[in-house]
Every structure is written in structure tokens, then in C-alpha cells.
Amino acid sequence: MDYKQAGVDIEAGREFVNKIGSAVESTYRQGVLGGLGGFGGCFEIPSGYKQPVLISGTDGVGTKLKIAHQLNRHDTVGIDLVAMCVNDILTSGAEPLFFLDYLATGKLNPSQLEEVVVGIAQGCKESGCALLGGETAEMPGFYQVGEYDLAGFCVGIVEKASILDGKDVQIGDQAIALSSSGIHSNGFSLVRKIIEISGLNWEDKPEELRGLSLGETCLTPTRIYVKPILKALENNLGIKAMAHITGGGIPENLPRCLPDNLSIEVNLNSWETPPIFQWLAKTGKVNQQDMLDTFNMGVGFVVIVPPHKVKETLAFFEAENISSYHIGKVIEGKKDIQFVC
């Protein structure tokens, strides 16, 4: 008996590392020390900061991976993995520096997992951070053959005096929403259940989706907001706080950027809801509150600005090819959301 007979293929692991080398190196930026293959990744803190603060984040892709497995399409979930991490630390005003991934599978398939890592590398390039390292675990008996799980970890940097923590938000400030690219990476347990009871397949194209299949729509990767947001911060738009709209939707995530004595009034008619959410609500007979509590509903990121910066902020993001909407205002409250129509 040897390790391969027990289900772990060391040679396949070596082949996989060789396959992903160029993708990893394509993400390298100034600050990376050394290369792939060591026991740890080294990154030099950039110069020019007076009081640099490192901000870290970690996340996964969730049951969206089940769709990738079923469709045997693995080129987008790596982008999701990076997006979920870098968008989180971005809310503090941090520039992502480097990223690490953890990939676990029942049986290592180098070609399949190469697609995943190429997606991770693409997400890193979109967010300007280096893919500094990672870990691949072959775990026979723990995962089904052909399936894998992902986790990501990123570190960013921000000047201490520039950290956005919501302390400067005040009554009358305005909320600007940046559109999502779709479902992103949350709520897929409900998505999969709705599609199951609908009797449709991933290849089917409901009329509401305007020519796209359910599979294509659901595997659309999470939008990465890093470069336009960092540019916005440099352009002095007066951004006081930011929120990444992930699991729990607007009700759970938007209040996280507020002081305890404030709330946000959000107009539900102020932005365009993508067709996939309309189809899910109708097909699954999901009420509006449950939709809001589960999905981003077309709002992927929110920035809080002073009233006199609203028009300038909307124009800035439109110039960056991101649809943006003036969705509400800060009011007195208890760190929650008050929806109006």
C-alpha cells in the first residue's frame, strides 16, 4: 500500500503546481519577494506611509461552487473568491496588497484546478494584488471526486489617518449604490432550491434572462470594486463610509458602516433590479423582505457621501462604467435600515 492507493496522488500535485506557475507570477507587483514554492510568501510593506495599517479579510464562495461542479465550468469561481475578500477590506479604504488561497479536493485534477487558479489570478490582477501563495489539499473520502472547496485570504494597507470606519457619518449624508454584476456569491442555497423546484435545467433560458441561460447567469463572477473605489478616494469625493453588500443583503450589511445612533433610509424604487432577482422571486414565490435579506438585489457596494457630492459621485462612477444610483440618506436611528417606496 502506498499514498496513491490511499487516494492521494503526489505526482498530480506536482503537475498542478507546474501548471499554475505562470498564472501566479502574472499577478506579481512591487513588494513581492521571492517566488512560488517556499513555505511562506514574503511581501515588503510599501514605502511612503506615515502610519501604515494592515487590514486583512477572509471568505469563500459558498454553494455557488456546486453549480460550477455541475456545469464543469471552473473559470469564474476564482474571481468570486478574490472579489469577496478584497471588496471587504476595501470598505476601510485599504488597497489590497496580496492574496492567498486554500483549495481542498477529494481527488486532485490538475486541469480542473488550473482553471480555478487562473480565475484567482485574474481576480488578483483586477484588484491589483499579488497572488502570493496558497495551499492545495487532496482529501479522499472527505470531498466527492470532482468537487472542491475554496477559501481566500487577503491583506491590504491604508494610512491610519485615512481609515474609513463610519465615525464621520452624520445625519443628511447620502447613500450611493454601485450596481452588482448579478447574484455575486451569496444566497445560492436558495437559488439552487428554486431552480430545483422549477423543473428547469442550468441550460434553460427563461424569458426574463434575455437570452442567457440560468447557468451562465448564476456563474457570472462577483464584481470587483477596488480600482474605481481607490480612484474615487483619490478624487476627493468626500466618501465617509462604505459597505460591501454580501450575505444578508442591504439590511445586514449597510448598517455596518454607520455609528450606533444613525440609520439609513433607503428608497426601494431608486435602482434597477436585475432580471435574475425578479425571476427568482416569481418562481420561488419569495416575498420582498426575504429577497432583501438574502440577495444584493442589484446593489453590490455602497458609498456614503455629503449631500453636495451626490451629483459628482454619480458622474464619477458612470465615467468608470459602473451604474450608480442615489438610493437614500442617513437619518437618526439605531444602526438599521428603513425602507421606503
Side-chain angles (χ1 to χ4, degrees), residues 128-158:
C129 66
L131 179 51
L132 200 58
E135 170 69 9
T136 304
E138 191 172 18
M139 302 167 64
F142 198 88
Y143 295 97
Q144 295 293 322
V145 173
E147 295 193 352
Y148 54 83
D149 197 10
L150 297 173
F153 316 85
C154 69
V155 172
I157 191 168
V158 63

Side-chain angles (χ1 to χ4, degrees), residues 40-327:
C42 299
F43 195 96
E44 186 175 26
I45 293 179
S47 60
Y49 286 86
K50 297 178 181 178
Q51 289 183 290
V53 175
L54 298 179
I55 297 182
S56 62
T58 182
D59 211 332
V61 181
T63 62
K64 186 174 186 175
L65 291 176
K66 297 289 284 187
I67 303 173
H69 299 154
Q70 290 169 347
L71 294 178
N72 194 29
R73 181 182 171 186
H74 311 282
D75 58 336
T76 62
V77 291
I79 301 173
D80 286 301
L81 183 67
V82 177
M84 296 302 290
C85 296
V86 297
N87 287 342
D88 273 356
I89 68 167
L90 180 63
T91 62
S92 298
E95 174 193 357
L97 294 176
F98 58 85
F99 186 88
L100 296 97
D101 66 88
Y102 173 80
L103 198 163
T105 185
K107 182 174 177 57
L108 204 154
N109 180 331
S111 297
Q112 177 199 57
L113 299 187
E114 180 187 9
E115 287 187 54
V116 177
V117 175
V118 167
I120 293 172
Q122 182 178 336
C124 285
K125 286 186 281 189
E126 286 185 27
S127 55
C129 66
L131 179 51
L132 200 58
E135 170 69 9
T136 304
E138 191 172 18
M139 302 167 64
F142 198 88
Y143 295 97
Q144 295 293 322
V145 173
E147 295 193 352
Y148 54 83
D149 197 10
L150 297 173
F153 316 85
C154 69
V155 172
I157 191 168
V158 63
E159 191 72 71
K160 186 174 183 179
S162 300
I163 294 175
L164 296 179
D165 56 10
K167 68 179 183 302
D168 296 327
V169 176
Q170 57 189 20
I171 293 174
D173 286 337
Q174 305 293 303
I176 306 296
L178 307 187
S179 63
S180 69
S181 56
I183 304 174
H184 285 184
S185 296
N186 303 104
F188 275 93
S189 294
L190 180 55
V191 171
R192 290 167 44 244
K193 189 66 177 178
I194 291 172
I195 292 175
E196 177 186 331
I197 65 171
S198 75
L200 298 180
N201 297 314
W202 295 112
E203 295 77 18
D204 289 326
K205 300 178 179 180
E207 184 178 346
E208 293 91 337
L209 301 189
R210 303 167 188 173
L212 292 177
S213 70
L214 285 166
E216 290 173 306
T217 302
C218 289
L219 285 182
T220 299
T222 304
R223 172 168 277 164
I224 293 175
Y225 298 95
V226 172
K227 290 183 179 180
I229 287 292
L230 291 179
K231 185 176 178 181
L233 293 173
E234 292 174 358
N235 276 262
N236 299 317
L237 294 176
I239 295 175
K240 296 183 176 183
M242 299 186 284
H244 181 202
I245 309 304
T246 57
I250 293 172
E252 182 171 319
N253 290 285
L254 189 47
R256 294 167 66 181
C257 72
L258 299 174
D260 291 339
N261 63 328
L262 298 179
S263 295
I264 293 186
E265 181 181 273
V266 172
N267 185 339
L268 288 170
N269 296 321
S270 58
W271 75 91
E272 183 179 352
T273 303
I276 183 60
F277 298 114
Q278 299 169 25
W279 182 85
L280 288 167
K282 182 183 74 173
T283 306
K285 299 180 180 178
V286 185
N287 65 50
Q288 185 182 56
Q289 188 60 55
D290 284 337
M291 290 293 294
L292 288 165
D293 286 339
T294 306
F295 302 111
N296 66 60
M297 299 301 289
V299 174
F301 205 84
V302 177
V303 299
I304 308 297
V305 299
H308 67 279
K309 288 288 187 177
V310 169
K311 289 184 179 180
E312 185 181 352
T313 302
L314 291 170
F316 173 87
F317 286 112
E318 290 297 334
E320 293 295 313
N321 296 314
I322 299 178
S323 296
S324 56
Y325 308 93
H326 181 197
I327 65 168

